[in-house]
Amino acid sequence: EIKGATRVEYRADKAGIVHMSIGKVSFTDGQLLENFKAGLGALIKAKPATAKGKYVRSITVSATMGPGIAVDANTASKLAA
């Protein structure tokens, strides 16, 4: 859904944490991965030109009220590119 969309919706709080939905429980693993790559790619493309240094420092994936699972930010950024 995210890949075919004309825009990706996410919100960022004051601390620079980005909250983004990548799917629902009914989605397959492949659909979730595709949405994750498309969402992260859109986020990286939205990086301001004035931003210096490492833009994505860490990534954590979780269900709405579930525990978070850390994802390697370097590997994920290469995957999304």
Side-chain angles (χ1 to χ4, degrees):
E1 289 183 0
I2 292 176
K3 189 174 183 182
T6 56
R7 67 182 180 149
V8 176
E9 292 184 17
Y10 59 88
R11 63 185 164 91
D13 58 19
K14 292 179 184 178
I17 299 171
V18 176
H19 303 270
M20 178 185 326
S21 175
I22 61 168
K24 299 179 181 182
V25 173
S26 61
F27 285 15
T28 64
D29 292 346
Q31 290 172 319
L32 290 172
L33 181 61
E34 185 177 322
N35 285 349
F36 175 78
K37 290 190 294 187
L40 185 58
L43 186 64
I44 291 171
K45 286 180 185 175
K47 176 184 174 181
T50 58
K52 304 279 187 207
K54 194 172 182 181
Y55 191 60
V56 178
R57 293 186 182 171
S58 66
I59 299 173
T60 304
V61 178
S62 71
T64 302
M65 295 299 289
I69 299 170
V71 177
D72 183 40
N74 294 328
T75 304
S77 294
K78 290 176 187 174
L79 183 67

